[in-house]
Amino acid sequence: MSTLYADLEQSIRANGNPAQEGNASAQGHTEANTQEGGNSGDRPTPAEYCRMVPLLDAQTSCREVLELIKEQPDLPCVVIGGKKGEPFGLVMRDTFYRKLTGRLGADLYFGRPVEKFADMQPLIADIGADPGLLIQQALDRPESQFYDCVILTEHGQLAGVLTVLDLMIMSGLLQTGAEQRRRQTVAESFRHVTGMEESLQQVAEAANATLMECRQMKEWSLNGRSKLDEGSQSYSNVGERMNENQQQVARLIQDVDTISALTRTISELADKSNLLAMNASIEAAHAGEHGRGFQVVAAEVRSLAGQTRQLAADISGLLGSISRLAKETGALTTAGVGEITASAELLGEGSRMFGELEKAVEHVAGTGETVNRLAGDTAIRAAVIRQELEKGSSFA
């Protein structure tokens, strides 16, 4: 028994403090990974920090494990597994030394299988696991297992282990990467917000310009509608006057027809007077010397009857021309009334369209005011966000 104690003490003196050696070797491993780009800001992976450790059979004796640790003083632990390489147990170097250096530890455990020292419920994760999730799982372990290594597997077989120091370094790199991403996000957000603020100011200016143009268009629409209403009223008045003229032309045609009838009557009376004058001349001729004076009167009556008939014929011709011109004037007046009515309807439609345009302009103006107000408010909020981002970036 004393010989076993002596061998154990001698191995401890020869190899130094196991915990310190494990930390020193881990530090060297970390520095190597840092030089290879582990601290370059990229997201670390468990494979970058994976340490190779022996996979032992569960029946391996404690003495054999001690000899193995003597030969490989940098081993933080050994893993217990099956014949196919699947791990299921963990023996930490510090725990192994602590139990063996206890009273009667060597006598009790040297010949016993190492599984008696093994933690049969270690944290086992795939080598491709998410580092953040893996670190969180390690932190959630009980306090008694907090400093134990994490076993990594690949396709169900042992790939290596991660020490607590490795997990801390990975956590630091994750935080550094997250901080870098946060800084980058803040910088990009600052640029985006600055650009958005400028764009919103441009939108506000455009909306204000649109509002001014809408007000000008509204004024023009009101003026145009007023002018069209005046034109429509003028066309209506002209149409009423032309209707009156058409009625007057119709009465003129009726009067011409009446005068023509009277002229025909006068012509008939002239014919009768001429006939009577001829009869009077014949009778005066029969009377001889006594009828000569009467014959002169009859001749004058015949001359007057001829003049009257000629005058009636001239009047009839003039009345015919007047009637023809009056009918043509009536036809033209009727066509003009139709055209004026159609023009008045078009003017009314134009006035209605100007009214619709006025409503549309009012709607656009209202929308422009809303856009201007919202763009201004949003620009103010964007400026506040930009200031907060500037403060955040300065604190970073």
Side-chain angles (χ1 to χ4, degrees), residues 279-293:
N279 291 330
S281 295
I282 294 171
E283 292 296 331
H286 290 164
E289 188 67 28
H290 296 287
R292 185 174 296 175

Side-chain angles (χ1 to χ4, degrees), residues 41-239:
D42 296 335
R43 187 174 177 84
T45 61
E48 296 176 3
Y49 297 88
C50 181
R51 301 169 183 259
M52 300 299 298
V53 296
L55 180 66
L56 303 179
D57 184 82
Q59 299 303 316
T60 304
S61 67
C62 292
R63 181 185 294 275
E64 293 173 332
V65 175
L66 179 60
E67 293 296 332
L68 180 62
I69 291 177
K70 288 180 182 180
E71 295 174 358
Q72 302 182 37
D74 293 337
L75 285 178
C77 63
V78 294
V79 178
I80 308 302
K83 295 181 179 180
K84 295 183 179 181
E86 69 280 8
F88 53 78
L90 177 69
V91 178
M92 291 299 298
R93 176 186 178 125
D94 293 348
T95 304
F96 183 74
Y97 270 113
R98 189 166 52 251
K99 288 187 177 181
L100 287 183
T101 55
R103 187 177 181 181
L104 303 178
D107 293 335
L108 293 175
Y109 297 115
F110 263 30
R112 302 183 66 179
V114 73
E115 66 177 345
K116 299 297 182 181
F117 290 88
D119 178 8
M120 303 308 290
Q121 294 182 342
L123 176 58
I124 302 175
D126 188 86
I127 195 170
D130 181 80
L133 181 60
L134 179 60
I135 292 171
Q136 187 60 46
Q137 291 176 344
L139 293 175
D140 292 339
R141 292 182 297 180
E143 185 176 357
S144 60
Q145 297 178 326
F146 188 80
Y147 295 98
D148 290 355
C149 294
V150 177
I151 300 175
L152 298 178
T153 61
E154 187 173 9
H155 304 298
Q157 296 181 346
L158 176 66
V161 297
L162 293 175
T163 65
V164 174
L165 180 59
D166 297 333
L167 294 174
M168 292 175 63
I169 294 172
M170 291 174 60
S171 177
L173 290 176
L174 288 175
Q175 293 178 1
T176 301
E179 179 63 18
Q180 291 177 351
R181 289 191 294 273
R182 186 192 71 81
R183 289 174 180 267
Q184 183 178 2
T185 301
V186 169
E188 292 178 354
S189 298
F190 179 79
R191 289 195 297 270
H192 289 317
V193 170
T194 302
M196 182 175 65
E197 184 181 0
E198 295 175 355
S199 299
L200 287 172
Q201 290 176 353
Q202 294 176 359
V203 169
E205 293 175 358
N208 188 39
T210 302
L211 181 60
M212 299 301 295
E213 291 179 358
C214 286
R215 290 174 179 173
Q216 186 66 39
M217 289 178 62
K218 183 177 179 180
E219 183 178 355
W220 291 342
S221 298
L222 290 174
N223 292 334
R225 185 178 182 183
S226 177
K227 296 298 182 182
L228 284 177
D229 289 340
E230 292 177 1
S232 178
Q233 184 63 39
S234 297
Y235 270 99
S236 297
N237 295 335
V238 172

